[in-house]
Amino acid sequence: MTARPQPGLMEIALYQGGASAIAGHDEVLKLSSNENPLGPPPSAQAAIVAAAARAHIYPPTDHAALRAAIAEVHGLDPDRIICGVGSDEVLQFVTQAYAGPGDEIIHTEHGFSMYPILAHMAGATPVRVLERERRVDISNILAAVTPRTRLVLLTNPGNPTGTLLPEAELAELADALPQDVILVLDAAYIEFSGGHDGGLSLAASRPNVLVTRTFSKLYGLGGLRIGWGYAAAEMIDVLTRIRQPFNLSGIQLAAAEAAVRDTGWVETCLSLNADQRARLTGALRQLGLSVDDSHANFVLARFAGPEEAAAADAALQAAGIIVRRVAGYGFPEALRITVGDADGTGRVIEALTSWRQA
């Protein structure tokens, strides 16, 4: 008899990240992974260099300095913060800790493609619910809740839609869920939404809400993989018991602490994103494309159909530009385009205008 993997593992479809190369192009403009066009702040770069000299020293296991910095910047309780290898790991913690074979995990049809993977990793059953016009519909989520439901995984703002569920509706959903069902608010893009806390106030006042955040997008540290979560102290205690003690290196911790404290850099990046997002959205609409208002650092451009989207993608690639096909997210007729700097936005507009006029 051969060894057999745990239930659910062979149901996992391997995650596909954004492309980073185009045949025949030595240098490409990569707008497929929602990365910060300005990169990490100089303060974080300096912290990385300084921390590299101490790479022979084991990092602290409690992440106390980083948790304190996050708490100071966001006005939170550091004892209710957990840090992980990207917010993905925090999502893995909560699914592993609270779901298993026979349980169900709800996610929406256009949510992060890692959600069904995480459910299968835990041996649970992913339950997909429909959205309404590319927006989360809380009535559909609540209708899907059964006695087997353990978690609801919700991306807000949505990826790849960029749409935002208002805070009042988040509170309504949290209040309507049974107390033994955990609402996980994946707020990887919330900083770009302007003034929303991503559910941190809900997590502060309710025992069954977890908010996850990342350093990969706004802070430009995607290559280092750092994220964090905020929840009731009792839940954080459970998650910490399955966290590897040295899951974050000294270099990761130093870079993240410097980045979160660099509020001037944050404002610079948010201003650039807001300006170029508006510019890109307006130009795409002038080209006759359907584009919802985005609350993230990308826009979802919807074409007449899959064939037109493929043709536009080919035109962009011919111009050395990589964007994201999102058929796997339920949008075969669309392209997700990361908001770049002014030059990058101009290149996208020029390439698509030439394609449209050809």
Side-chain angles (χ1 to χ4, degrees):
M1 179 181 295
T2 59
R4 291 188 293 181
Q6 290 290 335
L9 293 187
M10 298 313 295
E11 302 298 320
I12 295 174
L14 297 181
Y15 179 80
Q16 298 293 324
S20 58
I22 302 174
H25 291 266
D26 294 332
E27 295 186 13
V28 299
L29 173 60
K30 185 187 176 194
L31 300 175
S32 59
S33 297
N34 303 335
E35 295 151 337
N36 188 330
L38 299 182
S43 58
Q45 296 180 43
I48 290 169
V49 173
R54 302 188 300 275
H56 59 298
I57 303 296
Y58 277 95
T61 61
D62 60 3
H63 309 152
L66 176 55
R67 290 189 296 108
I70 293 170
E72 179 182 331
V73 170
H74 294 286
L76 304 175
D77 179 354
D79 291 335
R80 301 178 66 170
I81 296 172
I82 187 170
C83 299
V85 182
S87 55
D88 294 2
E89 189 179 40
V90 181
L91 294 171
Q92 185 176 345
F93 292 156
V94 72
T95 53
Q96 180 183 348
Y98 289 98
D103 296 330
E104 295 176 345
I105 297 178
I106 293 174
H107 65 97
T108 65
E109 64 176 317
H110 303 308
F112 186 26
S113 61
M114 278 297 298
Y115 297 159
I117 293 176
L118 291 167
H120 287 305
M121 288 173 66
T125 300
V127 176
R128 175 178 172 271
V129 302
L130 297 179
E131 298 184 6
R132 187 186 300 272
E133 295 295 318
R134 300 165 303 283
R135 288 171 171 80
V136 170
D137 187 324
I138 64 172
S139 63
N140 287 345
I141 293 175
L142 293 171
V145 174
T146 74
R148 298 171 59 190
T149 304
R150 295 293 173 265
L151 297 102
V152 174
L153 302 179
L154 181 60
T155 315
N156 196 49
N159 175 24
T161 62
T163 57
L164 183 72
L165 192 65
E167 292 176 359
E169 291 190 50
L170 287 179
E172 182 181 348
L173 175 60
D175 291 340
L177 286 173
Q179 285 295 299
D180 62 348
V181 174
I182 296 174
L183 174 60
V184 181
L185 300 175
D186 180 354
Y189 298 95
I190 196 65
E191 293 95 341
F192 302 104
S193 67
H196 296 270
D197 76 353
L200 290 174
S201 57
L202 290 177
S205 59
R206 291 163 173 79
N208 62 330
V209 176
L210 168 69
V211 175
T212 63
R213 302 280 284 266
T214 183
F215 283 88
S216 297
K217 307 306 179 184
L218 174 62
Y219 295 102
L221 294 172
L224 287 187
R225 314 302 303 126
I226 314 154
W228 57 280
Y230 192 70
E234 294 78 10
M235 190 188 304
I236 294 301
D237 177 66
V238 171
L239 303 188
T240 300
R241 292 173 187 275
I242 60 174
R243 175 180 65 81
Q244 292 286 336
F246 299 109
N247 64 325
L248 291 178
S249 70
I251 292 173
Q252 289 169 293
L253 293 168
E257 182 180 351
V260 76
R261 292 188 183 281
D262 199 336
T263 55
W265 181 260
V266 165
E267 291 304 316
T268 295
C269 295
L270 290 177
S271 177
L272 173 68
N273 183 78
D275 289 345
Q276 296 308 311
R277 183 177 62 194
R279 178 187 174 198
L280 179 59
T281 299
L284 294 174
R285 288 172 176 168
Q286 287 185 340
L287 292 173
L289 303 178
S290 298
V291 184
D292 293 322
D293 289 338
S294 173
H295 298 269
N297 66 339
F298 57 83
V299 298
L300 184 69
R302 306 192 317 278
F303 296 79
E307 296 79 9
E308 187 175 75
D313 186 36
L316 289 166
Q317 290 192 44
I321 303 169
I322 304 175
V323 298
R324 186 72 178 267
R325 299 292 299 274
V326 284
Y329 283 89
F331 294 108
E333 79 288 5
L335 301 176
R336 190 192 69 190
I337 307 172
T338 300
V339 176
D341 58 15
D343 179 67
T345 302
R347 286 181 60 183
V348 171
I349 294 171
E350 181 181 2
L352 288 178
T353 300
S354 298
W355 163 76
R356 194 57 122 184
Q357 294 175 346

